[in-house]
Amino acid sequence: MANTETALKEATTVIDGALGAALVDYTSGMALGTIGGGKDLDLAVAAAGNTDVVRAKVRTMEMLGLNEEIEDILITLGSQYHLIRLLKGRGTNGLFLYLALDKGRANLAMARHQLRKIEAELEV
């Protein structure tokens, strides 16, 4: 089992094109851990903003009566992918992994696969 720091480090070293990653509590909007980012990618701001995305999607699904679980949410920009993966394991309710990728260097399918693997090994 990997802790938060190890999981985030793995996300940015194993996943091609990774620009930054965060573990986020979407009940508070606070990042529990971050790695990467920089002046063009403020992970604290991204954590708070993506919390709003997750909350809106959860609320919409409830209003639609969809009895499904969100695996991930993909936001595609001109030069980046932003991947939000809601965690399902024991003790991870209300948490998501956030990964920003360089669109030109990333393989989206492989990134999703690797993030799923990192989630399975994460212990919070």
Side-chain angles (χ1 to χ4, degrees):
M1 288 296 186
N3 65 20
T4 300
E5 183 180 336
T6 303
L8 294 176
K9 188 171 186 174
E10 183 177 353
T12 56
T13 57
V14 172
I15 300 174
D16 290 337
L19 301 171
L23 177 64
V24 183
D25 175 354
Y26 69 83
T27 58
S28 69
M30 300 295 293
L32 304 178
T34 63
I35 191 167
K39 70 177 183 68
D40 295 330
L41 179 61
D42 184 329
L43 291 171
V45 171
N50 285 307
T51 292
D52 292 338
V53 171
V54 171
R55 288 177 183 165
K57 188 59 190 173
V58 168
R59 204 170 36 250
T60 301
M61 288 177 60
E62 288 172 357
M63 289 187 298
L64 292 171
L66 296 176
N67 192 19
E68 298 277 342
E69 288 186 352
I70 299 170
E71 276 187 43
D72 54 41
I73 298 169
L74 171 65
I75 300 168
T76 305
L77 306 177
S79 64
Q80 296 178 358
Y81 293 123
H82 291 224
L83 191 55
I84 301 165
R85 180 157 185 89
L86 277 70
L87 302 185
K88 309 277 188 296
R90 189 181 89 240
T92 61
N93 192 31
L95 301 179
F96 67 85
L97 282 168
Y98 166 72
L99 179 66
L101 299 160
D102 179 315
K103 195 173 176 182
R105 297 183 310 143
N107 176 324
L108 185 56
M110 187 58 82
R112 290 182 72 221
H113 173 74
Q114 291 289 349
L115 204 55
R116 190 176 312 117
K117 183 178 172 204
I118 290 166
E119 173 196 1
E121 297 170 0
L122 178 63
E123 186 173 294
V124 181

